[in-house]
Amino acid sequence: MSPSPSTNTRKQQASGTVVRRQHTISLLVENKFGAFNRIAGLFAAKGYNIESLSVGPTEEEDVSRMTIVTEGDDPIIEQITKQLHKLIDTIKVVDLTYDSFVERELVLIKVQTSTATRSEIMQIAEIFRAKVVDISPRTLTLEATGSGQKVDAIIKMLKPFAIKEIARTGRVALKREFQGDV
Amino acid sequence: MTPHTRSEGKTAPGSMMTGAEIFVRSLVAEKVEVVFGYPGGATIGVYDALHDISDIRHVLTRHEQGAAHAAEGYAKATGKPGVVLVTSGPGATNTVTGIADAYMDSIPLVVFTGQVALHMIGNDAFQEADIAGITRPITKHNYIVRDVAELAKTIKEAFYIATSGRPGPVLVDLPKDVMAQKAPFQYPSTVSLRSYNPIVEGHEKQIKKAANIINEATRPVLYAGGGVIHSGAAAELTAFARKLGCPVTTTLHGLGAFPETDPLALGMLGMHGTWYSNMAVHGCDVLIAVGARFDDRVTGNVEQFAPDATIVHIDIDPSAISKNVRVDVPIVGDVKNVLGNLINHVHPLRTEDWRNTIAVWQREHPLRYQAGSALRAQQVFQQLGQLTGGDAIIVTDVGQHQMWAAQFFTWTQPRTHITSGGLGTMGFSLPAAMGAAFGRTDMPIISISGDGGFQMNSQELTTIVQHRLPIKIFVINNGFLGMVRQWQELFWRRRYSQVEMASPDFVKLAEAHGCPASRATTPEEASVEMERALAHTDGPIFVEFVVAQEDNVYPMIPGGQSVNEMLDTPIDPDGGSITIQPKGSHALPRKDAHVPVTVH
């Protein structure tokens, strides 16, 4: 061992990939004052990205489920799940990304219409199994449910007709129970 | 008329009490001995209930920031949670710096803040601040008590959360009306939180995996942090290191976790760590991190931190694992338990060659300073170590003096070094030393600040004098914000922007508070005044040490760099005599010891 400093750099670890990918994280949290704020604040304070966040009650009245869609490389996602778990109100943190899971998102789309375009818009709605939930002489409001990709697709199809407003819920997801081969 | 008939011990469990009474009784149940606080409109009722309780001592600080730092000092000196009680609005916001400081340094605090009545919350009421919102990112957890029936349970949880796992501050916001409402009081005996169960026992498989790696090491280093002290594991760490024959370096907060008189001691590592501890970490083949968090002041450039090492990391906080530096074998658990278990799986290592290599670094690059015309801060701390034999609680502030104290004092015992590390809060020392003095009477307590930091919380001198606390208050005055000036000198072309510090006559200032005071400007005067201060036990005593104005802390690894860029103490061949502060086998902390002086 020579008493001069090594010029090596810290070895790269096989697991330390720098590929950023989307992750769907499902959280069970105590339904307590400030819990939502704590989680949203954590993402802001640590500079983590939130693509969507949905929250609602569960089968237990004092527990809420949050579904967060975020993006990052493996070390960042590892930190996000650890930091979420560290919050006192967090009961369970599951990164669904590595499991098979069902995901749904709901979107309301208000499209500008005229007598000339209305039927074409309704045909598109039918293809996506979207429902008309409001109608006026100049607009149609559609409700569509599905994966984020499906929601993106219907929005893309309706874009040429001039979309006036969009409201998306963000993703909700649950792990699939049947994981075996059919 | 007997307005206060509710003294402790008279009420049967389950009897109706106001929130204020429940609060006070809960603190008694938690065996709280001292509360640091400041009353106000929103807490008058709470203070009324506190008035008759003889079991709890309330210390009226002169600023709420002082209360928060005092509670930190108390907690760090005793290992018990520090308790703060302040009013709403400005009372609460003034504790924010102390709370953030405690969060960064994992100090158990329970901070109670007054709040406006529930129906006024959100109305911009007088002295209203959303303190729960403000402190959410700087507390381990916080609460707003909305129902008096929840108060006792909330306080129980707050103390449990603050002191368990990785300790930290918990804030409990107390709306005024809730504290006036009544509920039956019974203090819960247990806490059950389904969402919070810290892991304290290390995983057996990970422990064995770590042992296998450690047993193969030829160039091991132990890197011990504040977690060793929080866990009460100094004895376990020492036994572990000695069994292995493994050199030990500590972080700033780890000082005292391992005796620096032990031949295996390398002193502190990091930006202003010893040359040889940084070299040892850089050259080691196995790094065992214990209760430390790979702070940037320790690692510098993470890519070049311990480049050849397999890293074992023991920590109670899973989120501290692989946060800054990826580690190979994490063990989540309480340091005391894990080391107590791990020691049974390791055997003595053949580290003679490695220790000889380190000894060469120690000989060639010791901690040292060269005598000049002015008094040197380094001498003050070195001499303090010799005069106290290490038997003193040293409470430092932030800046150059803090680093020199870490380097030149000889640390031998846990809970004798109290400082603001993570947040780096100037103004910490004086109130923190005050808090320590309420918790510890077995050792002299010495507050050390620079001229800048002292002026940030000097109002607590009055509190210290009022309680006749036997604190030795040392101000190291170099007329500058020295650490900023050092960076300006080294990295900003000596453009000294806003670092020259005009100060009051500190001796007169201390005397005006009723504290005996003196000034030392030469090495001889420094010795005399220090001895006089250490012999003074009747209340506080103040000494100003006027030291060299433009002195620098060395060694130094500039921010974000590595050992390759480490700057050692510059030596002028025609300059004065050189004094060395050894660590390890030649460190002699006893009162009769003399430190070897080498003259070039």
Side-chain angles (χ1 to χ4, degrees):
Chain A
M1 182 65 210
S2 106
S4 62
S6 161
T7 52
N8 293 355
T9 55
R10 182 129 194 89
K11 56 190 182 250
Q12 280 292 318
Q13 314 235 330
S15 59
T17 57
V18 286
V19 180
R20 291 174 68 84
R21 59 180 287 193
Q22 197 187 63
H23 285 249
T24 303
I25 297 170
S26 181
L27 293 169
L28 289 177
V29 297
E30 297 283 358
N31 182 13
K32 282 186 184 159
F33 186 84
F36 174 79
N37 198 307
R38 243 180 263 283
I39 287 161
L42 175 74
F43 276 77
K46 304 265 178 191
Y48 305 142
N49 167 48
I50 298 184
E51 290 184 13
S52 77
L53 189 160
S54 78
V55 57
T58 63
E59 67 284 1
E60 283 180 74
E61 72 172 317
D62 50 357
V63 176
S64 300
R65 182 182 296 277
M66 281 192 195
T67 311
I68 299 175
V69 180
T70 184
E71 193 200 67
D73 57 27
D74 288 353
I76 287 182
I77 298 295
E78 184 183 328
Q79 262 303 306
I80 290 175
T81 52
K82 282 175 172 175
Q83 293 289 344
L84 286 169
H85 200 78
K86 189 172 170 178
L87 297 173
I88 306 290
D89 285 336
T90 307
I91 301 164
K92 198 174 174 190
V93 183
V94 183
D95 185 352
L96 292 171
T97 314
Y98 302 105
D99 286 317
S100 174
F101 62 97
V102 277
E103 57 150 321
R104 287 294 179 271
E105 182 173 0
L106 185 144
V107 63
L108 296 175
I109 309 168
K110 191 181 286 179
V111 202
Q112 203 163 306
T113 58
S114 63
T115 43
T117 59
R118 189 173 292 131
S119 59
E120 194 181 344
I121 290 169
M122 289 178 68
Q123 272 176 7
I124 292 170
E126 204 166 303
I127 292 164
F128 284 93
R129 291 187 206 144
K131 280 191 285 189
V132 176
V133 288
D134 186 44
I135 188 160
S136 76
R138 294 181 179 281
T139 64
L140 259 182
T141 301
L142 302 176
E143 174 203 307
T145 319
S147 69
Q149 281 177 324
K150 177 180 163 186
V151 170
D152 289 343
I154 187 171
I155 290 169
K156 216 169 181 180
M157 289 304 294
L158 293 172
K159 220 162 206 167
F161 302 96
I163 294 173
K164 288 172 75 79
E165 283 179 301
I166 291 178
R168 295 175 73 152
T169 59
R171 182 180 297 173
V172 292
L174 288 176
K175 193 178 146 194
R176 281 188 197 276
E177 280 307 308
F178 188 69
Q179 304 269 348
D181 295 325
V182 180
Chain B
M1 196 179 95
T2 51
H4 305 299
T5 53
R6 59 185 168 288
S7 59
E8 67 271 36
K10 286 191 180 167
T11 8
S15 61
M16 296 294 279
M17 289 187 192
T18 65
E21 291 167 322
I22 290 172
F23 167 79
V24 169
R25 297 292 301 258
S26 299
L27 295 198
V28 172
E30 284 292 337
K31 300 188 173 60
V32 172
E33 291 160 348
V34 56
V35 173
F36 301 94
Y38 207 110
T43 53
I44 287 187
V46 173
Y47 270 88
D48 184 71
L50 196 64
H51 193 51
D52 291 322
I53 297 291
S54 55
D55 299 24
I56 300 173
R57 185 170 191 184
H58 181 277
V59 178
L60 176 67
T61 58
R62 297 306 187 267
H63 191 294
E64 289 91 347
Q65 187 185 356
H69 293 322
E72 290 187 273
Y74 175 87
K76 284 213 76 171
T78 63
K80 296 183 244 179
V83 180
V84 178
L85 173 60
V86 295
T87 193
S88 63
T93 56
N94 276 342
T95 64
V96 165
T97 302
I99 293 170
D101 192 271
Y103 188 64
M104 288 286 266
D105 288 346
S106 309
I107 300 174
L109 289 193
V110 182
V111 179
F112 295 97
T113 51
Q115 183 52 278
V116 300
L118 282 175
H119 67 275
M120 302 288 280
I121 288 180
N123 285 4
D124 295 339
F126 177 65
Q127 292 193 331
E128 181 190 352
D130 174 17
I131 196 63
I134 290 168
T135 59
R136 213 161 268 141
I138 54 166
T139 49
K140 189 170 170 187
H141 198 56
N142 66 18
Y143 296 90
I144 300 173
V145 181
R146 290 168 176 276
D147 179 354
V148 68
E150 295 283 308
L151 179 59
K153 178 174 166 277
T154 305
I155 294 173
K156 180 82 186 174
E157 285 181 12
F159 276 91
Y160 171 66
I161 291 169
T163 53
S164 57
R166 178 174 177 176
V170 177
L171 182 138
V172 184
D173 204 21
L174 306 170
K176 190 173 183 177
D177 53 340
V178 173
M179 300 310 277
Q181 287 157 8
K182 286 193 170 183
F185 173 67
Q186 182 138 34
Y187 200 64
S189 53
T190 56
V191 183
S192 166
L193 290 165
R194 62 179 160 184
S195 56
Y196 174 71
N197 293 294
I199 300 160
V200 292
E201 301 290 343
H203 195 286
E204 203 64 34
K205 203 176 107 192
Q206 291 297 94
I207 286 174
K208 287 194 177 127
K209 203 167 155 192
N212 288 339
I213 286 165
I214 293 166
N215 285 333
E216 294 298 314
T218 56
R219 306 190 310 274
V221 170
L222 270 156
Y223 148 45
V228 176
I229 290 167
H230 291 308
S231 167
E236 284 78 3
L237 174 75
T238 306
F240 186 75
R242 286 178 181 160
K243 179 171 183 185
L244 290 177
C246 178
V248 182
T249 179
T250 67
T251 69
L252 182 65
H253 280 314
L255 293 170
F258 186 77
E260 290 192 346
T261 46
D262 191 289
L264 295 168
L266 303 179
M268 183 172 77
L269 84 165
M271 180 177 278
H272 292 298
T274 59
W275 179 281
Y276 37 92
S277 68
N278 286 324
M279 290 296 288
V281 168
H282 197 78
C284 69
D285 64 350
V286 173
L287 183 70
I288 312 161
V290 188
R293 62 182 177 86
F294 297 83
D295 175 76
D296 58 271
R297 285 295 189 267
V298 161
T299 62
N301 180 353
V302 290
E303 303 236 315
Q304 286 174 51
F305 179 75
D308 302 328
T310 303
I311 301 180
V312 174
H313 186 190
I314 305 168
D315 206 288
I316 198 157
D317 177 4
S319 76
I321 307 271
S322 293
K323 185 176 68 181
N324 300 335
V325 172
R326 277 211 81 77
V327 302
D328 301 282
V329 185
I331 307 175
V332 175
D334 184 84
V335 165
K336 194 181 178 82
N337 289 333
V338 174
L339 284 180
N341 186 346
L342 187 58
I343 195 169
N344 299 319
H345 297 277
V346 296
H347 55 66
L349 304 174
R350 299 190 62 86
T351 57
E352 295 79 7
D353 289 352
W354 173 230
R355 283 153 64 188
N356 287 337
T357 302
I358 294 173
V360 173
W361 292 327
Q362 287 182 305
R363 268 199 306 280
E364 291 177 355
H365 299 277
L367 281 174
R368 59 196 147 170
Y369 64 94
Q370 193 165 19
S373 52
L375 172 63
R376 305 292 294 278
Q378 296 92 320
Q379 181 207 319
V380 173
F381 300 121
Q382 190 172 45
Q383 204 162 14
L384 194 56
Q386 290 163 19
L387 289 172
T388 60
D391 293 332
I393 295 171
I394 310 291
V395 188
T396 59
D397 213 77
V398 172
Q400 286 186 316
H401 78 275
Q402 178 190 32
M403 293 297 108
W404 282 319
Q407 294 175 333
F408 285 87
F409 192 82
T410 303
W411 307 97
T412 56
Q413 298 161 65
R415 301 202 182 279
T416 56
H417 177 247
I418 297 174
T419 197
S420 167
L423 197 66
T425 308
M426 286 172 66
F428 173 85
S429 171
L430 192 66
M434 174 172 80
F438 279 102
R440 293 279 294 271
T441 51
D442 57 321
M443 279 190 199
I445 291 170
I446 300 160
S447 162
I448 302 164
S449 310
D451 43 323
F454 184 76
Q455 291 181 66
M456 283 197 177
N457 270 319
S458 62
Q459 78 282 348
E460 300 308 335
L461 256 178
T462 308
T463 323
I464 289 167
V465 170
Q466 180 194 344
H467 292 276
R468 304 195 66 75
L469 299 172
I471 302 173
K472 293 94 183 67
I473 303 162
F474 292 176
V475 169
I476 307 295
N477 185 358
N478 60 4
F480 274 110
L481 296 173
M483 191 58 95
V484 181
R485 189 209 55 74
Q486 174 171 344
W487 283 51
Q488 289 175 341
E489 178 191 328
L490 296 176
F491 313 117
W492 295 85
R493 296 180 290 126
R494 298 181 79 98
R495 285 162 55 83
Y496 289 170
S497 178
Q498 298 298 317
V499 289
E500 264 184 274
M501 200 70 188
S503 293
D505 182 326
F506 285 119
V507 171
K508 281 187 183 161
L509 180 79
E511 284 171 350
H513 285 81
C515 180
S518 61
R519 178 178 292 121
T521 56
T522 65
E524 296 71 29
E525 285 175 11
S527 303
V528 171
E529 296 305 331
M530 209 181 308
E531 290 199 45
R532 192 212 308 270
L534 287 169
H536 181 94
T537 51
D538 179 25
I541 186 163
F542 180 99
V543 185
E544 176 191 6
F545 296 90
V546 180
V547 298
Q549 286 215 304
E550 297 187 40
D551 200 355
N552 289 337
V553 182
Y554 293 110
M556 180 179 194
I557 300 176
Q561 299 194 28
S562 74
V563 288
N564 300 304
E565 288 81 31
M566 184 157 51
L567 308 170
D568 198 4
T569 315
I571 296 298
D572 175 3
D574 304 321
S577 63
I578 294 164
T579 307
I580 290 167
Q581 170 63 33
K583 300 281 176 189
S585 48
H586 299 292
L588 300 165
R590 300 256 57 98
K591 293 174 174 88
D592 52 351
H594 78 95
V595 168
V597 175
T598 323
V599 181
H600 283 237

